[in-house]
Amino acid sequence: MDGYLITILSNIGMVSFVALSAYILLLSGQISFGQQAYFGIGAYVAGIATVMWQWPLAGALLFGSLAAGAAAGLVGLATLRLSGIYFAMATLAFAEIMRIAAELFVYRRDIGGIESGPDGVDGFRDIRYFFANEFSPLETCLIVYALLATVLAILCIIERTRAGRMLRQIGEDPLLAEVHGINVMSVRMIAALAAGAVAGLGGGLYAHLMTYVEPKSFDIMLGVHALAYGLIGGLGTAFGPILGVLIDIGLLESTRIFHGYRMIVFGGLVAVLLIVRPRGLLDEVAVSRIRRALRRRRDAGD
Amino acid sequence: MLEIDGLKVRFDGVEALAGLTISIPAGARIGVLGPNGSGKTTLFNAISGLVAIAGGTIRLDGRAISGLAPHQIAAAGVARTFQSVRLFHRLSVLDNVLPIAGTAAAGSHDAREAALAALDVAGLSAQRDILAGDLGFYDQRRLEIARAVAQRPRLLLADEPTGGLSQAESDQVVALISRAFGPDTAILLIEHQVAAVEALCPRSLLLAEGRLVADAATSDMRRDRSLADVYFGTRLAH
Amino acid sequence: MAAVDLAQNTLDGLMIGSSYALLAIGFTLIFGVMRRLNLAYGPTIMAGVYLGTAAFISFGAPILVILAIVVIGAAVVGLYVERLCFRPFGEAARTASMVASFALWMQIEEAAMHLLPRHMNPFPPLLSAPPLQIGPLLLRADHLVMLAATLLIAGAVTYFLARTRFGLAIRAVIDQPRAAAIVGIHVQRVMMLTFVLASAVGGLAGFLIAATDAQVTAMIGMWATTKGLVAMMLGGLGSVKGAIAGGLLLGVLEAHAQWFLGPQVRDMVAWGLLFVLLAFWPGGLMGSKALDRTMAVGRRV
């Protein structure tokens, strides 16, 4: 495989984590403009762990993901009872605070004769774990997809459990769910924790793949794109957000068909698509049809 | 089993419920009658914890449930259907029922069995995989009841379960409610069709302006002039 | 001279805040009528300002002509946004509406970059009068014009909402959309015209901001969306008065924060205040749990 293709594939993989993170909250009925904050936390924490503390990659990614999840939990305590635009704005406010905090964050130390660490607006450079340990681009790409597949598999399994159905019930009508005995606040809290951890994992991968992360890497554009991917690809299944990422980055950006006019084409397409399918291509209706068709085929095969 | 004592609810200073005291024995089936705005739905909302109560207590099996969160009240055994059908339209029929089927502690297999049994009772087994939003209106009404059945409640609050249905469908729904819940489940039924109430509930409560004005046998109440007075809005005889 | 600094900062903040207030008025009108967030509001303003700038650069158009181009341009682009992102969606598809407006944000911004590819472009200054000296305080003349224009527009919008038939229709749609439809108000037309009105107010704000800076940058779209949103939220959502209060508060807060803490922390303070208000002031805001529940019950049961 050539380098360009691997780069594009890696990008799709990394952005998918943030898209899945926004998707988890969308399922619970909350619109977050701030999942990029947890992506940033994961990136910085995991980067610091491998560069400054010389941790192995797996431990660093896990720690970054946990730190992001913990932050999401704390933010959730303060924001989860808000709804609609109030929740969206509170999450955006938190994400902007974190981005500016990263601009102010300087933590430099001498590591093996090189001055390393986050350096304010200039960001955190030389996160060279993959390089130092002689991973090939293909191998790093495989690591991204192995982790993405794991997260997707977990999400798909959860969606088929009672808890997954509860999440969807809360997303559609929280009051009705509550009347039926579902503790809306605690389910939303678990969703927020999970969403934060997923975004944090993506951030940790990003920092190591790109070898740097800067405050600009997780501005509002990342958050709103992540939200849009779920709505483009569809909210009926966890594959929806991935499809959204594939359409945007995979089809439009990488093929450069509309070079220089990509957003003019893409923006118009998305607006028209949403008119036809307000909950995306793979929405609940489409997913239900596909499931029934598959079941019929399986039954016929028996 | 359900003891309501001096229940008050206020909206913007107006008393929607002005001190209701009602006692419901286990397994009782009781109609709740009264004109629009008399406080019937507000009574249901107060029991299920959807509105803040301004005074009084509600006890279920001796335990105070007033002040609990709605999900705790539901877990204590209160099920509820809504005047305007309220379903999860984007979920399949089965998925509407599954999360509340059985107890929280029940395994997923038991929950699934309970959910399927409830759909079976309501005659919706064949439709279990289609989205609730794609059901016809009569089936949506039945799904609401199936959901309540799956919850195995101590108390069912049924708010006009026959609203918007034809006469034949109404009769079917009343028959379904009558057979789907065992003798352990008390039912409070809000209905405008007195005949439907009579078919299911030997006893009825009559509310007007947030007060309990009569508590008697449904058949007596039907003959009683004062019921007509309340319904047609003429002044109550003092 | 700390007292003088404080006074000067407050004064500067009020002046800048008046532009935030204008942005917030437009946002509030749209949110009130639509109950949905228009993320393309800033880019709409950007489109108007960029058209005006292009006219200035290409033909050296006089400032009043530029003003007209900016306002009409923003109104037309606003109409486009309404058509594509809001009219086709019902209440149930609020998220889709918002995401569609984000898609158009990207689209409009790229189109604007094709019109004027440079990051920074010149814009005709509003006034070249020297600053006024009031005791120890300095006051820029063009800032004074901006403040006066804000108050004038706010007054006009308030009068329009309170006293005209169309204003009454807007308020009816804001308070009781369903009832408004029942009494014969053409809700869709009201929404469309409100959108055009709000976009024109936004265009005016954009013009004033560009003219006091004597330049426009490619950041103006993003800037207008975020500042307008924050000012609207600080003002408590839903009234012209609140929008003005929110805008002025944000301006003053930023001026002081910038003076004492620097430009980065300035933005952090604004976001921080918003976060704290939303998270810990539930009683004053609509987000409170009990209110949410009763509202949902009232709406749906």
Side-chain angles (χ1 to χ4, degrees):
Chain A
M1 276 201 276
D2 65 277
Y4 179 66
L5 182 62
I6 290 176
T7 312
I8 290 289
L9 281 176
S10 301
N11 274 337
I12 291 173
M14 289 183 300
V15 174
S16 294
F17 285 95
V18 200
L20 283 175
S21 173
Y23 166 79
I24 294 171
L25 283 180
L26 277 172
L27 281 194
S28 80
Q30 299 275 48
I31 300 162
S32 166
F33 282 165
Q35 293 313 102
Q36 68 273 26
Y38 311 114
F39 182 84
I41 291 171
Y44 270 77
V45 170
I48 288 172
T50 58
V51 173
M52 319 287 280
W53 307 335
Q54 313 282 313
W55 284 23
L57 183 69
L61 290 178
L62 182 67
F63 188 55
S65 175
L66 288 178
L74 287 177
V75 174
L77 283 180
T79 57
L80 277 178
R81 56 187 168 65
L82 303 172
S83 61
I85 186 177
Y86 296 98
F87 180 79
M89 287 306 293
T91 49
L92 174 61
F94 174 75
E96 284 296 285
I97 292 168
M98 289 315 289
R99 187 181 59 79
I100 300 166
E103 286 182 355
L104 301 169
F105 180 46
V106 179
Y107 173 46
R108 305 285 283 170
R109 274 209 286 171
D110 192 312
I111 306 291
I114 308 164
E115 177 94 341
S116 312
D119 192 12
V121 184
D122 291 333
F124 184 177
R125 299 194 177 266
D126 296 322
I127 303 171
R128 302 162 69 86
Y129 185 92
F130 282 134
F131 184 76
N133 290 283
E134 295 178 343
F135 280 83
S136 73
L138 184 61
E139 282 169 324
T140 58
C141 187
L142 286 177
I143 291 177
V144 171
Y145 278 88
L147 286 171
L148 183 62
T150 311
V151 169
L152 254 179
I154 293 172
L155 276 179
C156 287
I157 290 168
I158 289 175
E159 279 207 37
R160 302 194 66 84
T161 65
R162 269 170 101 191
R165 271 105 173 193
M166 282 182 192
L167 193 63
R168 281 196 183 272
Q169 290 201 343
I170 287 170
E172 182 169 341
D173 189 342
L175 187 107
L176 185 58
E178 176 92 21
V179 169
H180 284 134
I182 297 171
N183 188 342
V184 172
M185 275 304 127
S186 52
V187 176
R188 277 195 170 151
M189 179 53 108
I190 293 165
L193 287 168
V198 168
L201 182 59
L205 285 169
Y206 176 89
H208 287 90
L209 240 70
M210 308 298 279
T211 70
Y212 71 91
V213 56
E214 52 191 2
K216 263 203 314 237
S217 317
F218 52 99
D219 63 4
I220 177 178
M221 284 297 156
L222 176 62
V224 188
H225 270 104
L227 205 55
Y229 290 141
L231 274 144
I232 296 165
L235 300 178
T237 154
F239 290 99
I242 312 280
L243 178 65
V245 179
L246 276 175
I247 292 172
D248 182 31
I249 302 182
L251 215 64
L252 294 173
E253 186 176 324
S254 61
T255 57
R256 297 181 175 161
I257 309 174
F258 301 109
H259 188 65
Y261 293 85
R262 171 181 154 221
M263 280 303 170
I264 294 179
V265 176
F266 181 61
L269 271 181
V270 169
V272 172
L273 169 78
L274 287 171
I275 293 172
V276 188
R277 299 189 80 87
R279 293 181 67 79
L281 288 168
L282 293 173
D283 61 4
E284 288 85 350
V285 176
V287 170
S288 160
R289 292 229 172 92
I290 293 169
R291 282 214 183 109
R292 268 183 296 153
L294 287 177
R295 194 167 297 140
R296 263 199 301 275
R297 177 171 296 180
R298 202 181 53 206
D299 293 347
D302 281 347
Chain B
M1 192 240 2
L2 180 74
E3 305 289 338
I4 298 173
D5 188 18
L7 180 64
K8 283 186 188 170
V9 173
R10 276 193 207 101
F11 293 131
D12 300 327
V14 180
E15 286 210 321
L17 293 180
L20 280 186
T21 299
I22 304 166
S23 176
I24 312 281
R29 299 182 167 193
I30 295 174
V32 181
L33 307 172
N36 285 330
S38 60
K40 303 184 302 274
T41 297
T42 304
L43 171 64
F44 279 17
N45 285 344
I47 296 172
S48 36
L50 292 175
V51 295
I53 63 175
T57 56
I58 305 169
R59 291 176 171 278
L60 188 73
D61 291 324
R63 174 184 170 209
I65 58 168
S66 36
L68 292 183
H71 71 267
Q72 293 168 317
I73 294 172
V78 178
R80 156 112 211 229
T81 73
F82 290 85
Q83 190 177 337
S84 53
V85 179
R86 212 164 161 170
L87 299 169
F88 301 105
H89 294 265
R90 298 197 294 255
L91 269 73
S92 76
V93 168
L94 178 60
D95 287 353
N96 264 267
V97 180
L98 200 54
I100 56 164
T103 57
S108 61
H109 182 75
D110 293 350
R112 195 178 160 84
E113 292 300 311
L116 289 173
L119 288 181
D120 193 40
V121 169
L124 289 168
S125 293
Q127 286 108 308
R128 70 181 203 206
D129 288 328
I130 65 176
L131 297 186
D134 291 338
L135 287 179
F137 189 66
Y138 172 49
D139 287 344
Q140 293 193 348
R141 282 277 185 217
R142 292 197 295 173
L143 177 53
E144 270 208 309
I145 294 162
R147 218 164 37 186
V149 170
Q151 210 177 332
R152 295 191 187 132
R154 293 281 289 147
L155 171 69
L156 168 68
L157 306 171
D159 194 347
E160 286 196 51
T162 68
L165 297 179
S166 72
Q167 189 58 52
E169 290 166 342
S170 294
D171 295 343
Q172 290 288 325
V173 164
V174 170
L176 168 62
I177 294 175
S178 165
R179 89 173 167 266
F181 295 92
D184 293 342
T185 302
I187 298 173
L188 282 181
L189 174 74
I190 295 178
E191 257 306 337
H192 278 303
Q193 304 180 35
V194 185
V197 179
E198 210 169 4
L200 193 66
C201 310
R203 174 184 158 199
S204 281
L205 311 171
L206 178 62
L207 300 188
E209 294 172 356
R211 285 166 213 284
L212 182 66
V213 293
D215 178 350
T218 310
S219 50
D220 291 348
M221 211 174 273
R222 196 177 187 187
R223 280 188 291 273
D224 194 333
R225 275 290 305 163
S226 72
L227 174 59
D229 287 343
V230 170
Y231 261 111
F232 295 116
T234 48
R235 283 249 145 243
L236 286 167
H238 289 286
Chain C
M1 296 313 278
V4 174
D5 289 340
L6 272 178
Q8 182 70 52
N9 287 337
T10 307
L11 197 60
D12 292 345
L14 284 174
M15 299 300 144
I16 300 294
S18 63
S19 68
Y20 298 164
L22 271 183
L23 295 171
I25 289 173
F27 245 126
T28 302
L29 281 176
I30 294 176
F31 187 79
V33 170
M34 299 286 180
R35 297 271 143 205
R36 277 167 280 166
L37 205 51
N38 176 19
L39 290 175
Y41 184 60
T44 303
I45 294 167
M46 178 189 193
V49 172
Y50 262 53
L51 286 172
T53 313
F56 174 66
I57 294 172
S58 314
F59 322 113
I63 191 149
L64 283 177
V65 174
I66 293 174
L67 170 64
I69 293 175
V70 172
V71 171
I72 294 170
V76 171
V77 175
L79 191 62
Y80 168 71
V81 172
E82 194 263 351
R83 270 298 154 98
L84 239 66
C85 305
F86 290 86
R87 176 169 301 195
F89 298 100
E91 276 276 299
R94 276 186 211 171
T95 322
S97 229
M98 198 182 66
V99 169
S101 75
F102 171 69
L104 287 200
W105 170 352
M106 299 288 101
Q107 186 186 43
I108 294 167
E109 222 168 64
E110 190 164 71
M113 296 314 289
H114 279 288
L115 185 67
L116 300 171
R118 290 169 52 194
H119 182 74
M120 191 181 285
N121 290 286
F123 200 87
L126 195 57
L127 290 172
S128 41
L132 307 171
Q133 184 91 33
I134 311 163
L137 302 177
L138 281 177
L139 184 56
R140 276 175 59 180
D142 49 4
H143 275 172
L144 206 57
V145 172
M146 186 153 79
L147 180 67
T150 302
L151 295 177
L152 204 69
I153 293 162
V157 170
T158 309
Y159 175 86
F160 174 76
L161 286 178
R163 294 295 161 80
T164 63
R165 268 184 73 84
F166 183 57
L168 181 68
I170 292 180
R171 282 189 298 139
V173 172
I174 290 175
D175 289 341
Q176 297 278 339
R178 218 162 294 160
I182 291 167
V183 299
I185 292 174
H186 195 320
V187 174
Q188 251 185 3
R189 225 187 62 192
V190 169
M191 287 180 168
M192 183 187 82
L193 291 173
T194 309
F195 224 97
V196 172
L197 173 73
S199 301
V201 170
L204 203 56
F207 171 83
L208 289 168
I209 291 155
T212 47
D213 286 352
Q215 65 182 35
V216 213
T217 74
M219 298 307 291
I220 188 171
M222 167 91 126
W223 179 86
T225 290
T226 49
K227 295 295 177 193
L229 259 178
V230 175
M232 170 175 81
M233 300 302 296
L234 287 179
L237 257 186
S239 73
V240 173
K241 247 185 251 164
I244 296 170
L248 296 180
L249 173 66
L250 180 62
V252 172
L253 187 79
E254 285 192 354
H256 285 296
Q258 169 142 4
W259 177 262
F260 291 109
L261 304 164
Q264 283 167 320
V265 183
R266 173 197 71 194
D267 291 339
M268 202 162 168
V269 166
W271 288 112
L273 176 72
L274 180 63
F275 185 82
V276 169
L277 265 181
L278 289 171
F280 302 107
W281 211 320
L285 294 168
M286 306 267 286
S288 100
K289 204 167 164 185
L291 195 60
D292 242 359
R293 287 212 180 105
T294 43
M295 271 171 52
V297 173
R299 222 172 35 236
R300 308 275 301 264
V301 173

